[in-house]
């Protein structure tokens, strides 16, 4: 059955909004809000174009072979040749497993924090939180039908957006927006250093072949899903960048290159306990939706 455009959009958005956004303010603080926002928009444009090109390759390969399920490894082999195809495949699996380890580590840590809030201490068994998190997400994808996983992912993406809006609403109250855009706080000479995290925060390409299959090669629907599924995270990242940097400038009187903005805001009690709870919730949901996307990408490869 053909998947929905909304479901494909949610899969792309959920995969894009991952743990990278938590590291974004640390990377953007040296250059300031305006240069780093320009870097984010430029990175989004590049990542969108590359995603559309991958989708085009997938559609063309489906037409050539007459079958669905054309994944990245097939595209490597058909477009790069045998030897370079093996190089690309090796990089593909290395990246997926490395990112999945990172997501499981962070997701397990967030889960442990949440369980402690309910009076359950799981720290006595090393790695138990990570095992529980991996089993919950992996078991859901493995045992539940794909259309139900799509609905669950849609709900999780709604949760990501809702918790994010809560963070923005709390943080905006104490942000110094006039200083945020002041010329003395803009340092474009440092913006190049922000690009790696900007690109990392906007990665979703591993699910593009999955989206092409879900939408049965419908180019119009695929294009709509890719644009909408990446624009929403971009707007969220720009707002996140503004609120976090605005609070750092407001609390310290300027841009401090040597601080972790989120740690600083938590330690200074911005928004109280609710802020920390929302950041943890947002992180957990963002990691979960991203992990679902990476599982699908790895399954396509296998």
């Amino acid at each position: 059955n053909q998947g929905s455009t909304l479901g494909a959009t949610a899969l792309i958005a959920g995969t894009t909004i991952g743990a990278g956004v938590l590291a974004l303010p640390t990377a953007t603080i040296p250059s300031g809000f305006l240069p780093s926002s320009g870097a984010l928009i430029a990175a989004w444009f590049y990542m969108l174009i590359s995603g559309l090109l991958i989708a085009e390759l997938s559609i063309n390969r489906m037409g050539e072979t007459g079958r669905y399920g054309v994944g990245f490894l097939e595209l490597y082999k058909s477009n790069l040749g045998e030897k370079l195809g093996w190089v690309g495949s090796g990089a593909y699996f290395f990246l997926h497993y490395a990112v999945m380890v990172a997501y499981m580590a962070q997701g397990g840590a967030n889960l442990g924090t949440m369980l402690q809030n309910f009076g359950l201490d799981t720290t006595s068994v090393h790695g138990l939180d990570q095992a529980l998190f991996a089993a919950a997400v992996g078991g859901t994808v493995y045992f539940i039908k794909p259309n139900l996983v799509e609905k669950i992912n849609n709900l999780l993406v709604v949760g990501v957006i809702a918790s994010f809006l809560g963070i923005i609403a709390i943080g905006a109250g104490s942000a110094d927006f006039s200083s945020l855009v002041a010329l003395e706080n803009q340092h474009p000479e440092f913006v190049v250093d922000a690009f790696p995290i900007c690109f990392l925060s906007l990665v979703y390409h591993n699910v593009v072949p999955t989206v092409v299959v879900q939408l049965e090669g419908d180019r119009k629907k695929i294009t709509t899903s890719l644009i909408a599924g990446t624009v929403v995270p971009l707007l969220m990242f720009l707002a996140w960048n503004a609120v976090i940097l605005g609070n750092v400038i407001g609390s310290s009187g300027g841009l401090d290159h040597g601080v972790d903005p989120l740690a600083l805001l938590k330690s200074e009690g911005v928004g109280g306990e609710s802020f920390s709870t929302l950041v943890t919730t947002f992180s957990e949901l963002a990691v979960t939706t991203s992990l679902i996307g990476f599982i699908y990408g790895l399954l396509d490869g296998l």
Side-chain angles (χ1 to χ4, degrees):
N1 293 330
Q2 187 175 23
S4 66
T5 305
L6 177 62
T9 301
L11 180 61
I12 293 168
T15 305
T16 307
I17 305 166
V21 68
L22 302 176
L24 192 62
T26 305
T28 59
I29 198 170
S31 59
F33 173 67
L34 296 179
S36 61
S37 295
L40 266 172
I41 294 171
W44 165 80
F45 183 74
Y46 173 82
M47 298 299 263
L48 173 62
I49 294 300
S50 58
L52 290 170
L53 289 172
I54 292 169
E56 191 69 23
L57 284 174
S58 299
I59 294 169
N60 290 344
R61 190 59 181 167
M62 283 170 57
E64 291 170 1
T65 61
R67 59 182 174 81
Y68 289 110
V70 176
F72 256 110
L73 305 193
E74 170 76 18
L75 297 180
Y76 287 143
K77 187 176 179 181
S78 60
N79 290 280
L80 299 178
E82 189 77 27
K83 292 182 179 178
L84 286 178
W86 279 109
V87 173
S89 299
Y92 180 88
F93 282 108
F94 178 82
L95 172 66
H96 270 72
Y97 281 116
V99 172
M100 285 178 71
V101 168
Y103 281 157
M104 287 178 188
Q106 182 62 49
N110 292 338
L111 179 61
T113 301
M114 291 177 169
L115 291 175
Q116 286 178 358
N117 292 336
F118 289 101
L120 298 173
D121 186 7
T122 55
T123 57
S124 57
V125 181
H126 181 69
L128 178 60
D129 296 330
Q130 283 72 24
L132 290 173
F133 177 73
V137 179
T140 298
V141 175
Y142 185 79
F143 290 109
I144 296 179
K145 293 181 179 179
N147 61 339
L148 185 54
V149 174
E150 179 182 305
K151 292 177 181 178
I152 293 172
N153 189 65
N154 292 351
L155 287 174
L156 291 174
V157 172
V158 170
V160 168
I161 295 173
S163 58
F164 175 83
L165 291 176
I167 293 170
I168 296 299
I170 294 172
S174 54
D176 185 349
F177 290 113
S178 59
S179 296
L180 181 71
V181 296
L183 290 180
E184 63 267 20
N185 288 321
Q186 315 305 322
H187 302 283
E189 65 272 18
F190 297 120
V191 77
V192 173
D193 296 334
F195 270 107
I197 295 296
C198 291
F199 284 121
L200 174 66
S201 301
L202 292 162
V203 169
Y204 64 93
H205 304 71
N206 52 314
V207 297
V208 171
T210 302
V211 167
V212 170
V213 171
Q214 287 182 347
L215 299 180
E216 296 184 342
D218 188 319
R219 186 176 280 102
K220 185 177 180 180
K221 288 184 177 180
I222 292 166
T223 303
T224 300
S225 294
L226 262 66
I227 294 174
T230 55
V231 164
V232 171
L234 172 67
L235 296 176
M236 291 173 66
F237 293 171
L238 290 171
W240 170 266
N241 197 34
V243 167
I244 300 300
L245 265 59
N247 272 283
V248 171
I249 294 173
S251 62
S252 61
L255 295 173
D256 188 345
H257 297 197
V259 301
D260 179 350
L262 282 180
L264 177 68
L265 297 184
K266 285 183 180 181
S267 65
E268 297 198 358
V270 174
E273 187 179 339
S274 57
F275 183 83
S276 294
T277 301
L278 280 171
V279 168
T280 301
T281 303
F282 169 73
S283 174
E284 184 72 341
L285 292 174
V287 167
T288 301
T289 55
S290 291
L291 183 57
I292 290 173
F294 269 80
I295 289 173
Y296 275 128
L298 196 56
L299 287 174
D300 279 348
L302 293 171

